[in-house]
């Protein structure tokens, strides 16, 4: 019984030290962002449903997922990110193969260059909404509109 009295506070302390921010508060970026709109040179790409894309930020990691018809994950892309001076940098240089088959490749459905660090300009940024602009190597201007879900 004495061992239980000593062990219970240790277990409670261990549970209380768990964190949801992976050892660092990243501010308003933290959480899940839905993408209600994406335009390429002012137009939504034919047959593309931007609402199926979800961006999630935690610590210095970003996961961008493409959801299927039953909200299952059809594709996902893991990278690192950082914000600096009005820009969001998405780094997809961590995978050595860069063949489009790894979850560490850039999200091809968003037209982000694979095997590189994408430089997105932050056009609008608030606690619940942001707009990002990315220019492809071919000069196409892409606008991603994100709304925070949690």
């Amino acid at each position: 019984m004495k061992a239980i009295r000593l062990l219970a506070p240790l277990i409670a302390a261990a549970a209380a030290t768990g964190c949801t921010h992976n050892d660092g508060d990243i501010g308003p970026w933290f959480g899940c962002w839905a993408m209600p709109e994406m335009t390429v040179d002012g137009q939504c790409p034919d047959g593309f449903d931007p609402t199926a894309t979800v961006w999630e930020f935690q610590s210095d990691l970003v996961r961008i997922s493409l959801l299927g018809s039953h909200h299952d994950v059809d594709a996902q892309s893991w990278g690192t990110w950082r914000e600096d001076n009005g820009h969001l940098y998405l780094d997809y240089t961590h995978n050595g193969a860069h063949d489009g088959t790894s979850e560490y490749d850039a999200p091809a459905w968003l037209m982000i260059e694979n095997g590189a660090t994408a430089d997105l300009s932050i056009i609008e940024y608030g606690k619940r909404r942001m707009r990002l602009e990315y220019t492809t190597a071919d000069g196409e201007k892409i606008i991603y509109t994100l709304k925070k879900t949690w």
Side-chain angles (χ1 to χ4, degrees), residues 19 24 51 56 105:
C19 60
T51 61
E56 297 168 283
D105 286 331

Side-chain angles (χ1 to χ4, degrees), residues 20-21 25-37 53-59 81 124-132 144-150:
T20 60
H21 290 259
D25 183 359
I26 62 171
W29 289 96
F30 178 75
C32 185
W33 297 77
M35 191 174 83
E37 184 178 10
T53 298
V54 176
W55 301 46
E56 297 168 283
F57 295 89
Q58 183 173 355
S59 186
W81 70 277
E124 176 187 341
Y125 180 65
K127 292 181 180 179
R128 309 291 305 160
R129 176 183 160 93
M130 74 173 119
R131 291 179 64 225
L132 307 168
Y144 308 105
T145 301
L146 305 176
K147 290 188 177 180
K148 190 152 191 182
T149 59
W150 62 267

Side-chain angles (χ1 to χ4, degrees), residues 46-66:
D46 289 338
F48 180 68
D49 179 10
T51 61
T53 298
V54 176
W55 301 46
E56 297 168 283
F57 295 89
Q58 183 173 355
S59 186
D60 67 341
L61 297 176
V62 60
R63 178 174 79 161
I64 301 176
S65 302
L66 182 63

Side-chain angles (χ1 to χ4, degrees), residues 69-120:
S69 58
H70 299 288
H71 294 97
D72 51 334
V73 176
D74 283 351
Q76 64 182 346
S77 175
W78 290 89
T80 56
W81 70 277
R82 68 182 172 84
E83 175 191 9
D84 187 30
N85 201 24
H87 293 264
L88 173 66
Y89 297 96
L90 300 178
D91 185 353
Y92 292 102
T93 62
H94 307 293
N95 175 25
H98 305 300
D99 59 3
T101 63
S102 170
E103 29 182 60
Y104 300 104
D105 286 331
W109 67 96
L110 297 183
M111 303 172 64
I112 294 175
E113 183 180 355
N114 198 19
T117 299
D119 178 356
L120 288 75

Side-chain angles (χ1 to χ4, degrees), residues 125-143:
Y125 180 65
K127 292 181 180 179
R128 309 291 305 160
R129 176 183 160 93
M130 74 173 119
R131 291 179 64 225
L132 307 168
E133 179 180 305
Y134 174 68
T135 304
T136 68
D138 296 333
E140 295 170 302
K141 186 166 93 173
I142 303 173
I143 305 289

